[in-house]
Amino acid sequence: MGVAGLARAADLTTKAATSAPTQGRVMYAGMRALPVPGDPVTRLSHAATMLREHRGDGHVGARVGGTEAHVLEAPARGICPPETFGRIHHLPKERLAEVVDGLRGRGLVDADGRFTDAGRRTQQRVEALTELAAAPYEALSRYAFDELVAELEPVSARLVATGSR
């Protein structure tokens, strides 16, 4: 990605990130209150953080923390035990055990880390609430959205090539 592509990706991401409603999205609203940086790299990072927080606030609305949401995603994908899921396997074992034990204590996963009925319903509620995170992207035309994806594909490929998950 060249400088022009990076600047364009930052512009498009910022447009999306600053267009969503803030109601019920506390972390997102906090990020929106910060000034948008001028430097394209910093602006892209800031906008991506706003989008992540906008989506993450959906977990909070379902009374599920971010790590808990990732742990609940594991059985939804058929990954058991949840601690082996790629998004969370790097976390300290003690932290993962604490989160999984907490989910067990709430009756959301069983002793093997598989969903209970309550866990499945909770995970579906998390997904329904986070689907509302599509709102920022509605500010982009289909062409602009496709352009954004095209500009970010080399960044994504580079991250994956360096071991990022």
Side-chain angles (χ1 to χ4, degrees):
M1 170 186 289
V3 173
L6 179 67
R8 181 67 177 149
D11 290 344
L12 292 170
T13 305
T14 300
K15 181 177 181 177
T18 57
S19 68
T22 57
Q23 300 92 323
R25 307 269 177 182
V26 178
M27 292 297 292
Y28 170 69
M31 291 296 300
R32 277 272 304 268
L34 298 173
V36 175
D39 170 68
V41 172
T42 309
R43 188 168 67 249
L44 179 60
S45 176
H46 178 73
T49 299
M50 280 194 285
L51 291 170
R52 184 187 71 237
E53 294 303 342
H54 184 270
R55 183 178 190 284
D57 281 338
H59 303 158
V60 175
R63 295 190 173 129
V64 174
T67 304
E68 289 175 323
H70 286 303
V71 170
L72 289 175
E73 180 71 14
R77 293 179 180 227
I79 299 169
C80 194
E83 296 89 344
T84 62
F85 185 32
R87 292 184 187 168
I88 57 172
H89 78 279
H90 65 283
L91 295 173
K93 302 270 185 244
E94 299 80 24
R95 172 71 179 131
L96 281 175
E98 177 184 294
V99 171
V100 173
D101 287 346
L103 293 173
R104 280 189 191 108
R106 290 168 55 192
L108 303 180
V109 295
D110 65 17
D112 296 324
R114 299 187 193 288
F115 276 137
T116 61
D117 289 341
R120 184 171 283 102
R121 285 190 304 274
T122 298
Q123 196 272 339
Q124 289 168 346
R125 190 170 66 249
V126 166
E127 288 306 310
L129 287 170
T130 55
E131 281 181 27
L132 297 174
Y137 301 99
E138 293 169 1
L140 302 177
S141 69
R142 183 68 202 168
Y143 175 80
F145 181 81
D146 290 345
E147 183 182 8
L148 175 59
V149 170
E151 293 294 349
L152 292 177
E153 280 178 343
V155 174
S156 177
R158 179 89 181 236
L159 290 170
V160 168
T162 60
S164 181
R165 295 180 182 204

